[in-house]
Amino acid sequence: MIPGKFIPPRRSLAQIFGNNVYKISLYNHSDMSYVLTMKLTRLLLAVCLAAALGHAAADDSLTTPAPAGDTVTNRYLAKVRELVLNAMGLLGIDYKYGGASPETGFDCSGLVNYVFNQAAGLVLPRNAQEISRVGETITRDQLQPGDLVFFNTLRRPFSHVGIYLGERRFIHAPSRGGQVEIVDMTDRYWQRRYNGARRISL
């Protein structure tokens, strides 16, 4: 362990947000209208956030003076919640090559850049390969919500990036004709193309 280096606690997405969080992804692939889909998405996000905050308020360890390390941990988890909720609030937005906002649509790096800027005030490079050089390299078994995962989808390494959510799932802007969605990293397509992961300091 490097002195002074913060290592985030191992938490599942369910522990951070509650077990209802993946219901959001079901609406992303349903036959409902886009407007209804986004209304339900926002509603579920609000429920998940309220549940997370309610759990924190009910936790005695958060209502008593905490050691410095615990304060850092809680601050980190709060930033992760903000980052993941920002990302999931963009479910259903159309893919757009070069897109970097909800109004224009997103490509993969545009989505990542937008979310990290909105949630943490960070400005990341504008393509996946350059983003792959930022932060700390981590192994697959070290993945935590908020980490970045990289794939070879264009016959070159680190040509695609998404935001890891936990439970082997990540959110990304896929390709032309697609929309921001949640997918499973254990699907054969993604397993074969996985290039690695990075952790950005929040």
Side-chain angles (χ1 to χ4, degrees), residues 83-127:
L83 190 150
V84 173
L85 287 174
N86 266 275
M88 295 182 75
L90 301 170
L91 283 168
I93 299 293
D94 288 338
Y95 176 89
K96 173 70 174 178
Y97 179 75
S101 74
E103 293 74 27
T104 62
F106 291 106
D107 61 15
C108 68
S109 60
L111 174 67
V112 168
N113 214 308
Y114 181 84
V115 169
F116 273 77
N117 184 260
Q118 293 294 306
L122 300 178
V123 178
L124 299 179
R126 192 52 188 87
N127 67 63

Side-chain angles (χ1 to χ4, degrees), residues 126-141:
R126 192 52 188 87
N127 67 63
Q129 192 169 60
E130 291 181 3
I131 294 174
S132 73
R133 303 187 185 106
V134 177
E136 172 193 358
T137 300
I138 55 173
T139 63
R140 193 190 297 247
D141 63 358

Side-chain angles (χ1 to χ4, degrees), residues 4-199:
K5 182 179 181 180
F6 172 62
I7 300 177
R10 294 200 62 82
R11 303 285 180 91
S12 70
L13 191 64
Q15 287 175 305
I16 295 176
F17 293 99
N19 290 319
N20 290 326
V21 72
Y22 284 124
K23 292 181 182 178
I24 295 170
S25 66
L26 300 180
Y27 298 115
N28 197 39
H29 300 285
S30 70
D31 295 327
M32 293 183 295
S33 71
Y34 174 79
V35 173
L36 180 57
T37 297
M38 296 314 294
K39 284 182 178 179
L40 287 170
T41 296
R42 284 191 287 270
L43 176 61
L44 283 166
L45 285 171
V47 169
C48 292
L49 181 58
L53 293 176
H55 181 270
D59 189 340
D60 290 340
S61 67
L62 300 183
T63 59
T64 57
D70 290 342
T71 301
V72 172
T73 297
N74 293 336
R75 189 180 304 122
Y76 174 85
L77 290 176
K79 288 183 178 181
V80 169
R81 291 189 190 106
E82 184 68 18
L83 190 150
V84 173
L85 287 174
N86 266 275
M88 295 182 75
L90 301 170
L91 283 168
I93 299 293
D94 288 338
Y95 176 89
K96 173 70 174 178
Y97 179 75
S101 74
E103 293 74 27
T104 62
F106 291 106
D107 61 15
C108 68
S109 60
L111 174 67
V112 168
N113 214 308
Y114 181 84
V115 169
F116 273 77
N117 184 260
Q118 293 294 306
L122 300 178
V123 178
L124 299 179
R126 192 52 188 87
N127 67 63
Q129 192 169 60
E130 291 181 3
I131 294 174
S132 73
R133 303 187 185 106
V134 177
E136 172 193 358
T137 300
I138 55 173
T139 63
R140 193 190 297 247
D141 63 358
Q142 292 174 320
L143 278 168
Q144 295 283 299
D147 291 338
L148 298 180
V149 286
F150 297 87
F151 303 87
N152 180 344
T153 59
L154 298 176
R155 297 185 179 180
R156 65 175 185 270
F158 302 99
S159 52
H160 189 69
V161 60
I163 301 171
Y164 186 69
L165 300 177
E167 315 298 343
R168 301 176 301 279
R169 292 171 172 84
F170 70 96
I171 186 169
H172 73 140
S175 59
R176 186 165 304 187
Q179 298 176 327
V180 175
E181 63 179 356
I182 296 172
V183 294
D184 191 331
M185 285 179 62
T186 63
D187 288 348
R188 186 178 180 185
Y189 177 89
W190 297 110
Q191 279 189 323
R192 293 175 62 184
R193 290 166 173 79
Y194 180 74
N195 285 147
R198 306 285 289 189
R199 178 168 296 147

